[in-house]
């Protein structure tokens, strides 16, 4: 009996608190000043998207022969069956080595102004060339990549139709071009986009209160725009440094790119789209619970101890950023020939 | 000029030899006495196939969380984008360990009378439980598998609709049941089936000559039935022992299962369906070239040195066993919760 009463009392307090927060009538207009719904067709500069490039890029994305071991495809760490990521603190790569930073989701990554946690790649094309050659990831070489795809007649045909103006289209550059074009199609509109587009019922009152808090508390000063992040660079620990397990001392973030002391522990603000399905969090991947991640952001970036109810609401709002993942027909990949380089492990 | 004349002479000899071999008019009837076309709906004993089980099995097949590291799914070594196998001599598993034997294709495996190279699993259900728990493959435990799927509400719902009569359906047994049912749908009818089913134009004259040779030389005494193999057990080296690199001394095959000395170096005859897209060959995975594999079979199993023309024709015929792979919509998998066991690596 006592438990029942206590539960009722807690429920009552929660309900009261829930009802208490005002939802501004102009919430959408306020939100539209800061955020942007997903466009239907993303634009990719200097690399016009064609159906042939998308089809080739999809095959490449799922092809484990892009790695020297033949074990990892892009999809291994950016799994389109889950959150476009891999559910690891840091990814496992060639020879069971661990990467340095958490693998970000590929979904909506076309909208990030730069790629990687330190923004060292200017676009998806530049990004794609990284993991293919990184020793701890796919451990491949441009020469071997070219040799691999040149050895399979079906791929040769696909590269020629994707890059019809080129005499010798099988290059690492074009692998990256096609991958970037395919990745540009991996866009996940969600309830928040529907709300921004005018559907008042797309998100409920708790999500709306969470959105109002997200703006009011200042989360949206960094997590803004179409991707709710993916644009600016800020120190992790703007107000208060996070604990060393969450912000390991040996990873100085953007400092490694710019060599400017002020860029120590500076990272590109991650997009919050699909954040509820892409744990663990932060570049270190050390935080698995979204509530805890929100609380850490409150103290380190905003200098505020968020209440449990505030965290609940913000988390409810963040769930409205979980989008509809595209339906993907699993590709049928070309078969190796005697000249295909054999897997190295 | 000399090269041109030589090439023409070779072509002339080849063309003559090609035309010389007689195609028996009753080839289909002869073939039907030995082979069987693929049925439309495979039967799975003691595990009735339902759409709910297939859907669950598909999700499980593609889910890397079936492995303790979260790196490997069934699809990692039995890749449905390629030949239902992994293009490795032996697969790479947990901690970058190598398996002992070549991963066979999952396509049409429902028609094998037993599973694994030594036939130690009586069916696909029994097979599925092996790699999940093998330390060099997925390195998982039944307890952890159950804990994983119980932690995700969407999976709980899927298990309940797949096994509606069970109060507690999330078990390793049912994981294996669902996987087996999904795998039973992975059937690839090809040109040879169309030929058996009455279409004379489904395979060309060279394929037909190859088929006639395949029967005449005795290949079909082991590679028969609906799967052209997958039924009997024979010593690798029936007539002449293969070289030690192809038949490593430390793998005694079925002897490890039965402990009968006569079963030393005895293996289950593999299915030849999709053989042209599933290199490398044999349990050791040491032979990458199909022509070479056919030649080795000639000497070791039939005691015959096949001519280059005979090998050409048999290989042409074997290509007619490459089937149409099913179109698969890539699944959207449930998201982890705080109680989902974290990947171990």
């Amino acid at each position: 009996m006592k438990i029942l009463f206590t539960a009722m009392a807690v429920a009552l307090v929660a309900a009261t608190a829930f009802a208490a927060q005002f939802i501004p009538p102009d919430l959408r207009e306020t939100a539209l000043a800061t955020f942007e719904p997903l466009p239907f067709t993303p634009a990719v500069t200097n690399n016009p998207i064609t159906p042939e490039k998308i089809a080739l890029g999809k095959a490449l994305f799922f092809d484990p022969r892009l790695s020297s071991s033949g074990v990892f495809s892009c999809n291994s760490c950016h799994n389109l069956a889950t959150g476009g990521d891999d559910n690891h603190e840091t990814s496992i790569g060639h020879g069971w080595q661990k990467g340095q930073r958490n693998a970000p989701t590929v979904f909506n990554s076309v909208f990030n102004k730069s790629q990687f946690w330190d923004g060292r790649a200017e676009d998806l094309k530049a990004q794609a060339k990284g993991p293919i050659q990184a020793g701890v990831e796919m451990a491949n070489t441009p020469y071997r990549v070219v040799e691999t795809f040149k050895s399979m007649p079906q791929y040769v045909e696909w590269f020629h139709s994707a890059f019809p103006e080129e005499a010798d289209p099988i290059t690492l550059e074009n692998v990256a071009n096609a991958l970037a074009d395919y990745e540009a199609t991996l866009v996940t509109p969600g309830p928040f986009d529907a709300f921004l587009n005018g559907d008042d019922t797309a998100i409920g009152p708790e999500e709306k209160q969470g959105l109002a808090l997200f703006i009011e508390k200042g989360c949206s000063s960094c997590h803004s725009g179409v991707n709710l992040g993916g644009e600016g660079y800020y120190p992790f620990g703007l107000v208060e440094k996070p604990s060393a397990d969450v912000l390991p001392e040996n990873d100085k973030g953007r400092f490694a790119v710019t060599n400017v002391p002020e860029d120590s522990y500076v990272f590109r603000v991650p997009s919050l789209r699909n954040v509820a399905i892409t744990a663990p969090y932060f570049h270190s991947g050390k935080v698995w619970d979204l509530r805890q991640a929100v609380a850490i952001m409150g103290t380190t970036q905003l200098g505020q101890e968020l209440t449990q109810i505030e965290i609940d609401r913000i988390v409810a709002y963040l769930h409205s950023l979980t989008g509809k993942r595209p339906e993907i027909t699993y590709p049928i990949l070309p078969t190796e020939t005697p000249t295909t380089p054999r897997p190295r492990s």
Side-chain angles (χ1 to χ4, degrees), chain A residues 19-265:
Chain A
Q21 193 194 312
F22 178 66
I23 300 174
D26 58 347
L27 182 61
R28 179 180 297 110
E29 290 63 40
T30 312
L32 278 169
T34 306
F35 310 110
E36 202 186 314
L38 285 174
F40 284 96
T41 311
V44 179
T45 43
N46 304 327
N47 179 22
I49 299 185
T50 63
E52 290 78 11
K53 274 194 232 170
I54 292 173
L56 171 62
K58 181 169 99 167
L60 294 170
F61 189 86
F62 281 101
D63 201 325
R65 293 163 304 195
L66 202 50
S67 62
S68 67
S69 67
V71 170
F72 304 107
S73 68
C74 305
N75 190 63
S76 299
C77 299
H78 303 285
N79 195 333
L80 305 184
T82 59
D85 66 337
D86 67 358
N87 192 39
H88 281 92
E89 287 184 10
T90 62
S91 304
I92 291 176
H94 192 84
W96 213 250
Q97 296 173 87
K98 280 192 182 175
Q100 200 191 4
R101 296 182 187 139
N102 182 259
T105 178
V106 67
F107 288 123
N108 312 297
S109 56
V110 64
F111 300 113
N112 295 333
K113 292 273 184 287
S114 65
Q115 304 296 333
F116 293 120
W117 279 98
D118 54 18
R120 68 184 183 277
E122 60 174 358
D123 56 20
L124 287 175
K125 180 187 164 182
Q127 188 282 334
K129 290 186 271 184
I132 295 172
Q133 299 176 81
V136 300
E137 299 185 50
M138 290 179 158
N140 219 338
T141 62
Y143 178 80
R144 206 171 166 285
V145 166
V146 168
E147 224 186 354
T148 298
F149 297 115
K150 279 195 174 170
S151 73
M152 294 180 261
Q154 178 73 80
Y155 263 121
V156 174
E157 200 186 309
W158 287 346
F159 272 93
H160 276 284
S161 38
F163 303 96
E165 70 291 352
E166 296 184 33
D168 189 18
I170 305 186
T171 59
L172 183 65
E173 289 298 306
N174 283 342
V175 166
N177 274 324
L179 282 169
D181 277 7
Y182 177 58
E183 289 167 2
T185 70
L186 302 174
V187 170
T188 67
F192 181 56
D193 299 287
F195 172 76
L196 289 178
N197 283 324
D199 179 357
D200 264 332
T201 64
I203 63 176
E206 196 175 1
E207 286 83 350
K208 286 177 188 163
Q209 291 177 348
L211 167 58
L213 275 171
F214 188 85
I215 298 171
E216 181 192 316
K217 294 282 177 185
C219 311
S220 64
S221 46
C222 296
H223 294 285
S224 59
V226 65
N227 245 4
L228 298 97
E231 299 193 349
Y233 294 89
Y234 291 92
F236 188 7
L238 193 60
V239 179
E240 186 186 313
K241 217 173 173 182
S243 60
D245 56 325
V246 173
L247 182 71
E249 290 216 349
N250 60 358
D251 184 355
K252 296 209 171 169
R254 196 159 164 76
F255 173 74
V257 181
T258 61
N259 254 312
V260 175
E262 295 82 65
D263 279 344
S264 287
Y265 304 109

Side-chain angles (χ1 to χ4, degrees), chain A residues 308-320:
Chain A
Q308 290 307 309
I309 288 171
E310 286 169 341
I311 293 173
D312 282 347
R313 288 176 182 170
I314 290 173
V315 166
Y317 161 62
L318 293 177
H319 273 267
S320 80

